[in-house]
Amino acid sequence: MSLVLENVSKIYRDGPKEFRAVDDVSLEVKQGEFIAIIGPSGSGKSTMLSIAGALLSPSEGEVYLQGENITNLSTKKITEKRRDQIGFVFQAANLIPYLKVKDQLNLIDVLSKQKRAKRSIELLEHFGLKHRINKYPNELSGGERQRVAIARALINDPQLILADEPTASLDSKRGREVVELLADEIKNSGKSGIMVTHDERVLDVCDRVISIRDGKIEKQ
Amino acid sequence: MFLAIRELFYSKLRYILIGLIMVLVASLIFIISGLAKGLSADNASAIQELQADYVILNSDAEMDMTKSFVSRSNMKQMEQADGIKEVNSLSIQMRNATVNGTDKNEDVSIFITEPESMLLPIVAEGNAINSTNEVIVDQSLKREGIQLGDTLTFGEDKEVKVVGFTTEQRYSHTPVVFMTSEKPEKMNAFVVNSGEASLTSIQDEIGSNYEVVTNGELLKGIPSYSQEQASLNMMIVFLYVIAAFVLAAFFYVITLQKRDQFGVLKALGAKTAYLIRSVIGQVLIISVLCIGIGVGLTYGIGAAFPADMPFKLSPIGMLQSSMLILAVSLVGALISLVQVIKIDPIEAIEGAGK
Ligand SMILES: Nc1ncnc2c1ncn2[C@@H]1O[C@H](COP(=O)(O)OP(=O)(O)OP(=O)(O)O)[C@@H](O)[C@H]1O
Ligand SMILES: [Mg+2]
């Protein structure tokens, strides 16, 4: 099991009132599985994804990554886990504006003190970005940017890929391409993936769709 | 450095602008320091270079040599005091000298001491003094067109001949003229060679009618000296503060602008320590570069100043100022680092956790 959430809740307190952004959620993601999370705005999708990605610690419950309980690790250890085992694709691509495409990927190498120059070239080639290698993010189209972001999420060969609305800034055709790319990568190399999306038209690409409302899982 | 350098290149314009301000502030610090040093030498190099261990003043003089009077009849008493090996006297007169009997005249400070006195400086050009009618003068008079063999006349009576030039001998913004004489009964001060004896032991020995002072204390006693230096030093301190604030504000705003990026970097697995090194790296690169340019600029400007301008650059002083500017820049960057530490990787994900 790549990722397990066990009775996870995130509680925000506002004075005496408490607000459960994520409410007693349990979820298992198998190797090779690609899950979509849908739900209305404010239902807790991003919060849940952040907990799964060790960006946010849950108020209650446990999180297991590759069988290891990561709920109470130190900030430093958590940072290393994110760096080595998790790949993120954010809504607005979130590339670093002053890095050329190739350096967006090299950055991950620099952070983890590794050399995978060959892999990064392969990845960019695979994603049809080879001719864009020396461009800055502001010189790329939205779809290209999102593809670079996916390549960046894959460079460290993570077991778990998390994507928060990766298609939000793309038209539906481009959006579908990006999601298919993600799905292929996850299937072919036996990773696990969770994607938050508002786009119903790409759900067929995923193995499973989870719908959440008011922090609770509605159906699986 | 991976991030630091790439960002500097990408955002060239904004970093060049802040660099420009840094260069100007650094140059201003160097130039005013040079001016302070130059003025200090112009006002008192003769005192700074005074070839005596201690100076003995009348105790009512409040360290001001021009207000001090001692008499020749007491010189024997000084010579016999324990710890004093050698005594000479010094009289200072501010006079106007007529050159070669022409219309040309110069304001000078006359230092009168005994023949063979310890105060007589090394001659850089010409000869030592052989009679009471010969003088050695500071070489700044050379720029005024005075040559060896010229005569200087003070008032109606006294006429002397310039036999030598010496260096670093200015007092009260005028060149010093060294003259020998055993005549004056009233002098401004005794100067002593004391070997190992300490200031307090000599003070005890000669009694409370006199005050034993060091060269440094004598400097502070020169009426204009302290005020001149204080006002320049205050400017320099302000410039350091300005440098710190400008950098602090700049890096603070830039860091605020980059909040999202820092969030993403942290989410991608960049440790806070790495990001801190990156910011400090940028500050160091910019500061070192700007200080370097500032040093070059200052030497350039210094070379363009007229020769008689009181302006003096010392490599050691320059190095000290440079280190201080560097330190001040790093202090300025500190509040940005607090920002960097506080940024939460959750900020990379829209909405959640904010
Ligand atoms: N730090 C916080 N303090 C208080 N409430 C918060 C905090 N972070 C998130 N919330 C609340 O938790 C709820 C879930 O937020 P979340 O961002 O997970 O929603 P979402 O499903 O991703 O919405 P969207 O589709 O608009 O992105 C929201 O009501 C939000 O206001
Ligand atoms: Mg969201």
Side-chain angles (χ1 to χ4, degrees):
Chain A
M1 216 56 76
S2 285
L3 175 77
V4 177
L5 302 186
E6 223 174 67
N7 304 107
V8 163
S9 299
K10 183 70 191 178
I11 301 169
Y12 289 115
R13 292 200 164 73
D14 181 15
K17 281 184 292 179
E18 68 173 35
F19 172 72
R20 290 179 169 260
V22 172
D23 193 1
D24 195 24
V25 164
S26 294
L27 176 69
E28 291 181 355
V29 188
K30 294 191 203 65
Q31 205 175 328
E33 199 177 24
F34 186 28
I35 293 182
I37 298 180
I38 57 168
S41 185
S43 56
K45 304 182 296 292
S46 296
T47 307
M48 202 176 124
L49 198 77
S50 305
I51 292 172
L55 287 170
L56 204 59
S57 57
S59 313
E60 293 165 2
E62 310 289 327
V63 182
Y64 297 87
L65 185 63
Q66 302 284 101
E68 185 188 350
N69 189 333
I70 61 163
T71 323
N72 295 311
L73 291 183
S74 70
T75 315
K76 196 166 162 240
K77 281 268 178 307
I78 290 270
T79 306
E80 280 167 8
K81 283 265 172 278
R82 282 203 303 270
R83 186 187 71 195
D84 298 334
Q85 296 187 17
I86 303 175
F88 288 98
V89 183
F90 305 109
Q91 176 171 344
N94 273 328
L95 300 177
I96 308 299
Y98 51 84
L99 294 184
K100 291 176 178 169
V101 168
K102 61 173 185 209
D103 285 335
Q104 300 283 345
L105 308 204
N106 291 343
L107 168 68
I108 309 295
D109 280 0
V110 170
L111 294 181
S112 52
K113 302 192 177 69
Q114 296 199 27
K115 282 248 169 293
R116 286 166 295 212
K118 191 147 162 272
R119 178 169 161 79
S120 70
I121 299 290
E122 278 168 12
L123 265 175
L124 289 173
E125 201 161 19
H126 180 63
F127 285 3
L129 290 163
K130 199 161 180 238
H131 58 298
R132 290 279 182 262
I133 231 161
N134 282 315
K135 295 266 183 267
Y136 288 105
N138 65 2
E139 298 169 306
L140 302 178
S141 72
E144 284 171 332
R145 254 177 264 168
Q146 206 54 281
R147 276 183 281 160
V148 175
I150 293 173
R152 181 178 67 181
L154 291 171
I155 185 83
N156 58 348
D157 203 14
Q159 201 46 47
L160 180 64
I161 296 174
L162 302 174
D164 194 5
E165 304 189 28
T167 61
S169 57
L170 305 178
D171 61 43
S172 59
K173 182 166 165 286
R174 292 274 166 200
R176 192 173 176 86
E177 276 172 19
V178 163
V179 174
E180 279 172 348
L181 201 67
L182 257 180
D184 282 351
E185 235 1 91
I186 288 163
K187 298 264 158 52
N188 295 341
S189 39
K191 304 182 187 309
S192 311
I194 305 180
M195 171 180 69
V196 169
T197 185
H198 274 128
D199 190 353
E200 309 255 332
R201 286 166 301 186
V202 298
L203 295 181
D204 61 292
V205 182
C206 304
D207 300 316
R208 192 146 58 102
V209 178
I210 292 171
S211 159
I212 72 171
R213 186 175 291 274
D214 298 331
K216 290 196 178 66
I217 293 183
E218 276 196 331
K219 65 167 194 266
Q220 290 209 12
Chain B
M1 283 297 150
F2 181 86
L3 292 174
I5 291 170
R6 280 168 178 76
E7 196 199 354
L8 288 184
F9 273 104
Y10 185 77
S11 310
K12 275 184 239 67
L13 189 65
R14 71 162 61 152
Y15 287 107
I16 285 175
L17 285 178
I18 188 70
L20 214 64
I21 296 175
M22 277 283 284
V23 167
L24 292 178
V25 171
S27 305
L28 209 54
I29 288 177
F30 293 142
I31 290 171
I32 294 181
S33 302
L35 219 54
K37 223 170 151 45
L39 279 171
S40 151
D42 200 50
N43 200 345
S45 59
I47 301 299
Q48 287 161 342
E49 304 288 323
L50 204 66
Q51 300 291 317
D53 293 331
Y54 298 115
V55 178
I56 297 174
L57 303 178
N58 170 334
S59 59
D60 298 333
E62 295 164 336
M63 306 256 177
D64 183 352
M65 191 144 54
T66 54
K67 286 191 197 149
S68 165
F69 290 102
V70 296
S71 58
R72 190 167 294 278
S73 50
N74 292 345
M75 210 157 150
K76 270 275 174 306
Q77 178 201 338
M78 294 294 150
E79 267 163 7
Q80 281 151 7
D82 257 1
I84 296 182
K85 291 188 171 162
E86 209 184 327
V87 180
N88 286 116
S89 71
L90 174 62
S91 305
I92 299 179
Q93 295 176 11
M94 312 296 296
R95 297 291 284 272
N96 186 271
T98 309
V99 183
N100 291 335
T102 61
D103 285 349
K104 192 169 143 87
N105 58 71
E106 298 289 342
D107 284 327
V108 298
S109 301
I110 308 177
F111 278 30
I112 305 170
T113 187
E114 291 77 25
E116 314 290 323
S117 166
M118 64 177 100
L119 291 186
L120 292 175
I122 297 167
V123 178
E125 192 187 334
N127 300 311
I129 298 177
N130 275 325
S131 80
T132 53
N133 290 328
E134 294 181 351
V135 294
I136 23 187
V137 302
D138 183 67
Q139 66 172 10
S140 56
L141 276 177
K142 219 159 138 185
R143 282 197 300 269
E144 308 296 332
I146 290 185
Q147 296 167 343
L148 294 178
D150 283 356
T151 58
L152 302 177
T153 318
F154 305 109
E156 307 279 276
D157 45 348
K158 187 77 182 165
E159 188 175 299
V160 295
K161 188 169 131 201
V162 176
V163 294
F165 285 111
T166 181
T167 58
E168 302 294 336
Q169 295 288 346
R170 288 179 65 87
Y171 180 79
S172 197
H173 302 293
T174 56
V176 171
V177 171
F178 280 91
M179 195 186 283
T180 56
S181 166
E182 283 181 324
K183 272 195 203 134
E185 266 313 306
K186 290 275 174 204
M187 296 91 78
N188 291 110
F190 295 125
V191 293
V192 301
N193 181 340
S194 62
E196 305 289 283
S198 74
L199 188 147
T200 41
S201 71
I202 296 174
Q203 181 72 67
D204 288 348
E205 192 67 27
I206 61 175
S208 61
N209 280 342
Y210 296 100
E211 188 171 18
V212 185
V213 300
T214 62
N215 290 4
E217 288 167 325
L218 213 52
L219 277 181
K220 291 189 199 116
I222 299 176
S224 61
Y225 186 85
S226 300
Q227 288 93 318
E228 218 172 71
Q229 292 294 309
S231 56
L232 289 172
N233 284 332
M234 192 161 83
M235 280 190 220
I236 294 172
V237 169
F238 268 101
L239 283 171
Y240 281 118
V241 174
I242 290 171
F245 272 97
V246 167
L247 264 135
F250 177 79
F251 275 97
Y252 184 75
V253 171
I254 286 215
T255 310
L256 278 186
Q257 270 185 6
K258 293 195 298 194
R259 270 195 89 87
D260 293 350
Q261 278 171 43
F262 282 120
V264 170
L265 285 167
K266 283 189 176 183
L268 291 177
K271 292 188 179 145
T272 303
Y274 178 82
L275 299 177
I276 286 179
R277 278 205 302 277
S278 196
V279 172
I280 291 186
Q282 286 186 335
V283 177
L284 278 179
I285 292 172
I286 296 174
S287 305
V288 168
L289 226 65
C290 293
I291 292 170
I293 297 173
V295 168
L297 202 66
T298 307
Y299 273 103
I301 290 173
F305 280 151
D308 56 356
M309 174 134 170
F311 183 74
K312 238 179 143 177
L313 298 174
S314 76
I316 292 175
M318 209 83 152
L319 195 69
Q320 282 169 343
S321 307
S322 301
M323 298 317 275
L324 203 56
I325 299 173
L326 201 63
V328 155
S329 324
L330 287 173
V331 170
L334 280 184
I335 46 168
S336 314
L337 294 184
V338 175
Q339 288 289 316
V340 173
I341 293 168
K342 279 202 303 203
I343 292 167
D344 195 314
I346 188 73
E347 300 195 14
I349 289 209
E350 236 104 334
K354 282 190 196 163

